[in-house]
Amino acid sequence: MLLTSSPIEQVSFYNRLFYIKRDDLLHESFSGNKARKFYSFLKGDFSGCHKLISYGSAQANSLFSFSELAKLKGWQFDFYVSHIASFMKQNPKGNYRAALENGANIIEVGDLMPGELLESYVKNTIIPNEKNHLFVPEGGRCQYARMGIDLLAQEIICWAENENITQLKIALPAGTGTTALFLQQYFKQQKYDFEVLTCACIGGDEYLKQQFLELCLDETQHPKILSSSKKYHFGKLYKAFFEIWQKLKLETNIEFELLYDPLGWLTLLEHLEREQIERDRPVLYIHQGGLLGNETMLPRYRRKYHAKLT
Ligand SMILES: *Cc1c(COP(=O)(O)O)cnc(C)c1O
């Protein structure tokens, strides 16, 4: 399977023009930034490998993308989680459902020793007993991710040159920050005046900076972190999130996802306003996929805000 490059569309939102890189449209099931990050696994020769192993949350976008990758490569797939909610087990939805349908073994670890992380549990207890496997850290945060993100960067450069755009702001929300970091590094190394703007959806600004440092010590190659004036917890429901998601859908006709994109847009709009960035200054927002997660997020939002939001 070849991943073709994704289109870039122009939309208007809050009276400003934005370009949207539609990585959600890369491929019908293997899409978004996980497809970019897992590209080298898809393309590479891993003929000695029979099993893919990772870990994370039972609702993670990466769970579904890993399961697609394993299916495409003919690998078994073991995914370790600490807990699966009982309503989810009884009535699988979203990424969890789709991963099960792809044959994923989703393994519940249960309570760990106090202070022990799922990551170290998998590394120290599971991996030493495995053979012929490929272990990928949570969310694909590793150097392997670089190859696919370099391609994304090249597509953006190609498009910008066609459009005669020499200065560009590129916005995308971060989880591990891998996608934002590798993009900014590529532009910097290739001497393009493209500034990558991101925001911390998981764990706050300092945590995100630490994640950048683990992958690249040179801070001049780090993306710019846009702080949010309000604190939000990953996976929780916020009225402001649902409102901006609805407004985006109405004004741009594009469905975004509900875990990362609302904060991505809120911090971006705040930043453009605060820094008084001219309205005609080109801004490219990367749609990083993850729409399957809306299958669980939307009913949660509808239940919580039905009375107030139609
Ligand atoms: C995984 C994911 C992210 C976070 O990507 P990182 O490279 O970990 O920063 C953002 N948006 C969506 C839709 C995702 O699935």
Side-chain angles (χ1 to χ4, degrees), residues 19 21 30 32 54 62 77 90 93 95 111 125 136 144 202 205 214 217 225 231 234-236 283 290 297:
Y19 297 99
K21 177 77 170 154
F30 193 62
S54 191
S62 61
F77 172 42
Q90 280 152 19
K93 285 235 159 44
N95 291 307
D111 292 330
T125 311
V136 183
Y144 278 113
I202 302 174
D205 296 358
E214 279 187 30
L217 282 172
I225 301 176
K231 282 279 154 280
F234 190 66
K236 286 207 175 164
V283 179
M297 291 300 284

Side-chain angles (χ1 to χ4, degrees), residues 33-34 37 61-62 139 173-180 257 260-261 288-290:
N33 80 347
K34 304 303 180 292
K37 289 198 275 189
N61 294 333
S62 61
T176 66
T178 312
T179 314
E257 61 84 64
Y260 298 91
D261 284 326
Q288 302 181 87

Side-chain angles (χ1 to χ4, degrees), residues 141-201:
R141 189 177 65 92
C142 58
Q143 295 294 342
Y144 278 113
R146 195 181 289 280
M147 183 195 249
I149 297 171
D150 283 356
L151 275 180
L152 169 59
Q154 286 159 16
E155 284 172 30
I156 292 170
I157 287 170
C158 211
W159 163 82
E161 286 183 341
N162 257 322
E163 303 277 322
N164 286 321
I165 293 170
T166 50
Q167 280 187 324
L168 180 63
K169 289 183 185 294
I170 296 157
L172 69 165
T176 66
T178 312
T179 314
L181 175 72
F182 287 171
L183 266 183
Q184 182 67 83
Q185 273 196 292
Y186 191 89
F187 296 137
K188 196 88 189 190
Q189 284 161 9
Q190 304 291 321
K191 312 233 178 317
Y192 282 87
D193 189 6
F194 292 178
E195 185 182 33
V196 175
L197 307 172
T198 192
C199 66
C201 297

Side-chain angles (χ1 to χ4, degrees), residues 20-128:
I20 314 285
K21 177 77 170 154
R22 299 291 306 270
D23 263 9
D24 56 317
L25 302 178
L26 263 183
H27 176 264
E28 59 190 67
S29 51
F30 193 62
S31 71
N33 80 347
K34 304 303 180 292
R36 298 290 189 181
K37 289 198 275 189
F38 300 166
Y39 181 80
S40 65
F41 300 126
L42 187 70
K43 290 286 134 175
D45 176 16
F46 292 87
S47 45
C49 167
H50 298 302
K51 189 197 273 186
L52 174 66
I53 301 175
S54 191
Y55 59 91
S57 131
Q59 272 307 322
N61 294 333
S62 61
L63 165 57
F64 169 62
S65 301
F66 275 131
S67 74
E68 281 292 321
L69 172 69
K71 197 169 79 173
L72 290 164
K73 300 290 274 191
W75 294 333
Q76 280 184 55
F77 172 42
D78 289 356
F79 189 79
Y80 292 84
V81 302
S82 40
H83 288 287
I84 308 172
S86 51
F87 64 87
M88 184 57 72
K89 279 189 222 169
Q90 280 152 19
N91 188 12
K93 285 235 159 44
N95 291 307
Y96 177 73
R97 171 190 60 78
L100 286 177
E101 285 169 8
N102 278 340
N105 305 314
I106 304 173
I107 301 156
E108 200 173 4
V109 168
D111 292 330
L112 294 166
M113 310 276 277
E116 189 177 25
L117 299 171
L118 185 59
E119 174 179 11
S120 41
Y121 172 81
V122 174
K123 273 191 190 157
N124 302 331
T125 311
I126 304 297
I127 298 299

